[in-house]
Amino acid sequence: MALFTFGINHHTAPLSVREQVAFNAEKLHQALADLTRAKPVREAAILSTCNRTELYCATDAPEAAADWLAEYHRIGRQDINPYLFTYPERDAVRHAFRVASGLDSMVIGEPQILGQMKDAVRVAEEAGTLGTTLHKLFQRSFAVAKEVRSTTAIGANIVSMAAAAVHLAERIFERIDEQRILFIGAGEMIELCTTYFGAEKPKQIVVANRTVERGRALAERFGGTAIRLDEIADRLAQFDIIVSCTGSPLPIIGLGMVERAVKARRHRPIFMIDLAVPRDIEIEVGELDDVFLYTVDDLAQVVQAGLESRKAAVVEAETIIAQRVDSFLQWMSTRDTVPLIRSLRDAAERTRRHEIEHAHKLLAKGDDPQRVLEQLSMRLMNKFLHAPTQTLNQSAEDERAEMNAMVARLFHLHTHD
């Protein structure tokens, strides 16, 4: 049985295709049982996320396993062929290591995929489809991921606008959980920022939106409240952090509005993020004392710096992975020789036991112990060397040189002319 990884992911297929081959978490156990029972697959694990559906298998028939994937989802094999990748042994191992380390993710270095892979392994273990090869592969994958994260900066830098906003806010306020935050707008970017800031458990979250119902739906997800856009002027002074991203053609927050808020706050700092294009906050606001205003371009610089740092970390991570792939393949190759080594040791053990019994009989008859030991060692040596010596003597001329070299290597011999 050889090791293969095959499937569809965000590199090979659009969302419309990926969603057709996604596995329901509740049905994974049954799917794994079906795969290993109906097809020539000895071991299997399925990693299914929004970005990938990948099958890790020990099989001699990867095509049959790929057929199963199409059949299971009732899709024509020809329909998924353009998007399907298949990685044999070395590439399969490298892929598993890269996925676990976050190098294959949409956002390089993101840590969520490692937890998702661990869940996939747990399900495979529960389903009884995780054998020795895949168990070792995933344990090595987790170890490589840990090494990559602990020895490189792969996950240490900011690579999203929302994360950059939190990062900049932490420069102004030591603790986000002591601050009150106003989000202006309720689109995708504000939703993402709310998620990131919400994770810091701020004292208050308020969403101001043109459509109050939509703002309320977003705010309530994080225990917050919603207000109308025309309420901002009266309430601006209450907030320590303001994040704005609307589609308004004109600024929503003007210089005079912020001047009044700063005065009412008795010059306590206000941190403002304007992610809108065109701007939601008048540019002159950034010139006020006690106001820290950042635009989308400012955040882009933070993100770019993080991306550059991660690119350098990726080079380091790939070097680590290449070394660990070689190590894993070495382990796999030694597994192929295990039966032969076991047979060799069993034969040697049988010979040893036979000669020990023979020596005991001689000693029981009263033979000289020294002579018995000498005879024992000679008989063992002759029996151990009989088969290889006979094979060398009987080897054909065209294979003799290779056979001689192999024996010299096996027994660490240094021949001299």
Side-chain angles (χ1 to χ4, degrees):
M1 288 284 173
L3 180 63
F4 285 92
T5 297
F6 69 94
I8 288 173
N9 60 32
H10 61 283
H11 296 298
T12 68
L15 177 60
S16 59
V17 176
R18 299 199 305 272
E19 61 189 5
Q20 294 182 58
V21 295
F23 284 86
N24 186 304
E26 296 176 356
K27 297 181 179 179
L28 262 183
H29 286 79
Q30 186 58 44
L32 285 164
D34 181 63
L35 171 60
T36 53
R37 179 179 63 250
K39 301 295 179 184
V41 177
R42 182 177 297 174
E43 303 179 33
I46 298 174
L47 176 60
S48 186
T49 73
C50 58
N51 286 333
R52 66 186 73 242
T53 291
E54 299 178 350
L55 281 69
Y56 296 78
C57 298
T59 178
D60 287 330
E63 284 300 308
D67 287 340
W68 172 87
L69 177 65
E71 292 168 8
Y72 182 88
H73 290 287
R74 299 178 182 177
I75 305 170
R77 175 66 191 273
Q78 70 278 3
D79 295 329
I80 64 171
N81 268 348
Y83 311 102
L84 194 67
F85 69 84
T86 302
Y87 295 142
E89 203 161 81
R90 174 178 286 275
D91 291 335
V93 175
R94 180 173 180 269
H95 182 71
F97 290 179
R98 294 186 80 254
V99 170
S101 301
L103 298 188
D104 196 65
S105 300
M106 277 188 173
V107 178
I108 299 298
E110 59 90 8
Q112 288 81 10
I113 187 61
L114 181 59
Q116 292 167 331
M117 183 177 272
K118 288 182 177 180
D119 288 340
V121 172
R122 176 183 53 77
V123 172
E125 284 180 325
E126 292 172 355
T129 63
L130 200 71
T132 303
T133 300
L134 286 187
H135 177 79
K136 193 74 170 181
L137 172 67
F138 287 118
Q139 293 309 309
R140 288 284 181 91
S141 297
F142 302 152
V144 169
K146 181 178 180 180
E147 182 178 3
V148 166
R149 292 191 177 280
S150 61
T151 60
T152 75
I154 195 68
N157 301 288
I158 307 300
V159 292
S160 76
M161 290 288 189
V166 175
H167 176 70
L168 291 174
E170 289 174 335
R171 293 182 180 178
I172 310 302
F173 303 106
E174 184 176 345
R175 296 175 61 95
I176 302 298
D177 61 359
E178 294 177 352
Q179 313 310 317
R180 301 177 189 274
I181 307 178
L182 172 65
F183 295 97
I184 304 174
E188 184 178 344
M189 181 55 74
I190 287 295
E191 182 177 2
L192 190 58
C193 287
T194 307
T195 301
Y196 271 79
F197 276 103
E200 302 296 323
K201 308 296 183 184
K203 183 179 293 186
Q204 183 183 22
I205 287 179
V206 175
V207 177
N209 194 52
R210 195 174 306 279
T211 305
V212 177
E213 290 76 14
R214 185 175 179 183
R216 184 178 295 115
L218 174 59
E220 288 179 349
R221 286 168 48 191
F222 302 93
T225 57
I227 62 174
R228 300 187 309 274
L229 287 180
D230 58 16
E231 295 181 67
I232 291 176
D234 293 333
R235 298 190 57 178
L236 193 65
Q238 300 173 12
F239 301 102
D240 310 292
I241 297 172
I242 292 94
V243 182
S244 187
C245 186
T246 75
S248 174
L250 298 172
I252 291 174
I253 297 178
L255 178 62
M257 187 189 300
V258 180
E259 285 178 329
R260 291 191 296 273
V262 169
K263 184 177 180 180
R265 289 173 60 83
R266 297 182 180 179
H267 299 282
R268 284 183 293 120
I270 301 179
F271 173 76
M272 308 182 83
I273 291 283
D274 187 355
L275 297 172
V277 179
R279 302 178 197 226
D280 281 343
I281 304 173
E282 289 185 345
I283 189 171
E284 293 81 8
V285 168
E287 299 174 7
L288 295 175
D289 291 337
D290 306 308
V291 174
F292 300 87
L293 174 62
Y294 293 87
T295 67
V296 66
D297 287 348
D298 297 321
L299 268 66
Q301 291 179 13
V302 176
V303 170
Q304 186 58 39
L307 288 172
E308 292 299 326
S309 296
R310 286 203 181 186
K311 286 179 183 177
V314 166
V315 175
E316 298 176 49
E318 294 285 15
T319 301
I320 293 171
I321 287 171
Q323 295 170 346
R324 300 301 173 258
V325 168
D326 288 339
S327 174
F328 184 82
L329 292 175
Q330 176 65 27
W331 172 81
M332 287 193 69
S333 66
T334 58
R335 288 193 67 219
D336 294 337
T337 64
V338 167
L340 180 62
I341 293 172
R342 185 179 294 119
S343 178
L344 179 64
R345 294 186 70 87
D346 288 346
E349 177 63 15
R350 286 194 299 272
T351 299
R352 186 190 71 83
R353 286 183 177 277
H354 177 77
E355 293 306 322
I356 284 289
E357 290 174 3
H358 180 72
H360 281 157
K361 290 178 181 178
L362 294 178
L363 289 172
K365 287 168 53 179
D367 286 12
D368 178 25
Q370 186 63 36
R371 184 167 174 273
V372 171
L373 284 175
E374 185 69 22
Q375 188 180 45
L376 171 65
S377 64
M378 289 295 294
R379 286 170 64 91
L380 280 173
M381 181 184 70
N382 289 333
K383 288 194 174 184
F384 286 151
L385 294 180
H386 174 71
T389 301
Q390 186 180 48
T391 301
L392 281 174
N393 289 331
Q394 294 176 353
S395 61
E397 186 174 350
D398 59 345
E399 66 178 5
R400 189 167 298 150
E402 182 180 355
M403 191 75 73
N404 289 348
M406 182 58 68
V407 169
R409 183 179 175 188
L410 284 171
F411 292 95
H412 298 280
L413 304 178
H414 300 283
T415 57
H416 302 282
D417 294 335

